[in-house]
Amino acid sequence: MDSSRLSQQLVFLAEADQLKRVLRRTSLIGGDRLENTAEHSWHFALMALTLAEHAPVALDLTRVLKIALIHDLVEIDAGDSFVYDTSAMADKAEREEAAAERIFGLLPADQATEYRALWDEFEAQETSEAKFAAAVDRLCGMLPNYKNCGGSWVEHGVSAARVAQRNAPIGAGAPALWEVARGWIDEAVECGWITSE
Amino acid sequence: MDSSRLSQQLVFLAEADQLKRVLRRTSLIGGDRLENTAEHSWHFALMALTLAEHAPVALDLTRVLKIALIHDLVEIDAGDSFVYDTSAMADKAEREEAAAERIFGLLPADQATEYRALWDEFEAQETSEAKFAAAVDRLCGMLPNYKNCGGSWVEHGVSAARVAQRNAPIGAGAPALWEVARGWIDEAVECGWITSE
């Protein structure tokens, strides 16, 4: 065993614990507390595993799961940027870039490179795996809002048009899941939770 | 798309959200709140991914990750059984069996069978993947206690001998990680957080 290598990995894994402290804008189903990014990442990975058959092409499932597990670690430093907050989104890339450098940099060099490449792959949205992961990530964010009668959409006065625009990547990554998402948005309008425009 | 199949999957995934409400006995690193089982499952999966090279034999990593993601879902119904609470451990198997039946039963039959088989594999502790997963699960439970100056070991008056006995499966699944765990236990005794017997 290379003990210095293992030590670096354990420092990274202890640091990862901090992701449990990063709060998102969506609540748990039931609405009584905000969700944190660590539990979201688990739900995202479970959702990717369970819905993989709905991807439009055959996927490398292991790579999708790796992306789900590591893609939000940058939020330890950069925080969760609320997707409907234009000013927070403006310097998101810069903040997350610095975070990726520091956090993946805790690992042995080969793993730092691998995790960074997975994060870059997700951000670039070019491979089928990255597109499917993004689709599932968005659907996972929509689920509690749909189940909570509009949840953070209502709280922040977001229209159906903006929800649809924001979540359009679901259509690019998994058309079958986009049908589901469109149905949820239509229902949110019909129920009067959100307005169409 | 088979919409009834997708509907069943979404019911299962919404139900899975409840795992974020199941509290474990260990705290986050920093000690200010208990960890829930959903965020633990994410940490466990990330740890398995990062430490896979320390398994004594080559593993099917995808199966290890699947086990990490689904193995604790039974706690939605059965709760987290504190490992040092003998009475809670007594009917654990029965409670978890009923939970597995109900929760995996929400899925389409083929996926229910697959997830159930993964859970059974983990419980049976016969394959290299199940043994490695158990080793990482235990190490993941030890990490916050070690980082929190003994954490729940101190709170519940658990001796080093019991911690070692409880976590011995780490040795069976990943000898290199057992060296780490033994070092943590020794340090906990040296620091006076726990007694040796």
Side-chain angles (χ1 to χ4, degrees), chain B residues 43-103:
Chain B
H43 210 170
F44 170 11
L46 182 70
M47 197 176 259
L49 174 64
T50 306
L51 300 178
E53 68 191 74
H54 303 289
V57 295
L59 295 178
D60 177 342
L61 177 64
T62 309
R63 215 159 80 242
V64 175
L65 294 180
K66 287 181 180 181
I67 287 172
L69 294 172
I70 67 101
H71 84 295
D72 267 339
L73 279 166
V74 294
E75 292 187 6
I76 289 172
D77 288 353
D80 177 55
S81 303
F82 187 47
V83 292
Y84 301 104
D85 177 348
T86 320
S87 63
M89 295 301 276
D91 66 342
K92 179 174 180 271
E94 201 178 322
R95 284 182 289 118
E96 292 193 347
E97 168 69 33
E101 202 65 30
R102 184 188 77 79
I103 296 162

Side-chain angles (χ1 to χ4, degrees), chain B residues 107-138:
Chain B
L107 284 163
D110 60 315
Q111 282 188 312
T113 303
E114 185 199 354
Y115 286 18
R116 174 59 195 248
L118 287 164
W119 183 69
D120 286 341
E121 179 180 349
F122 182 72
E123 294 296 306
Q125 285 297 301
E126 283 165 7
T127 65
S128 299
E129 283 76 10
K131 288 179 188 170
F132 182 71
V136 173
D137 190 23
R138 303 286 168 103

Side-chain angles (χ1 to χ4, degrees), chain A residues 36-165:
Chain A
N36 71 60
T37 304
E39 60 197 3
H40 160 73
S41 296
W42 165 77
H43 210 170
F44 170 11
L46 182 69
M47 197 175 260
L49 174 64
T50 305
L51 300 179
E53 68 191 72
H54 302 290
V57 295
L59 296 176
D60 177 342
L61 177 64
T62 309
R63 214 158 82 242
V64 175
L65 294 180
K66 287 180 179 181
I67 287 172
L69 294 172
I70 68 101
H71 83 294
D72 267 340
L73 279 166
V74 294
E75 292 188 6
I76 290 173
D77 288 354
D80 177 54
S81 304
F82 186 46
V83 292
Y84 301 104
D85 177 347
T86 319
S87 63
M89 294 302 276
D91 66 340
K92 179 174 181 273
E94 200 177 323
R95 285 182 287 117
E96 292 193 345
E97 168 70 33
E101 200 66 29
R102 184 188 77 79
I103 296 163
F104 298 136
L106 298 171
L107 284 163
D110 60 316
Q111 282 187 313
T113 303
E114 185 198 353
Y115 285 20
R116 173 60 196 247
L118 287 164
W119 183 70
D120 286 340
E121 179 181 348
F122 183 71
E123 294 295 308
Q125 285 298 302
E126 283 166 5
T127 65
S128 300
E129 283 77 10
K131 288 178 188 169
F132 182 71
V136 172
D137 191 22
R138 303 286 168 104
L139 194 74
C140 197
M142 288 183 71
L143 177 66
N145 283 334
Y146 169 63
K147 289 283 183 183
N148 292 335
C149 303
S152 67
W153 299 332
V154 175
E155 206 175 319
H156 298 279
V158 182
S159 69
R162 283 202 71 198
V163 173
Q165 181 192 19

Side-chain angles (χ1 to χ4, degrees), chain B residues 166-179:
Chain B
R166 164 65 193 166
N167 291 292
I170 301 176
L177 302 184
W178 185 228
E179 277 187 51

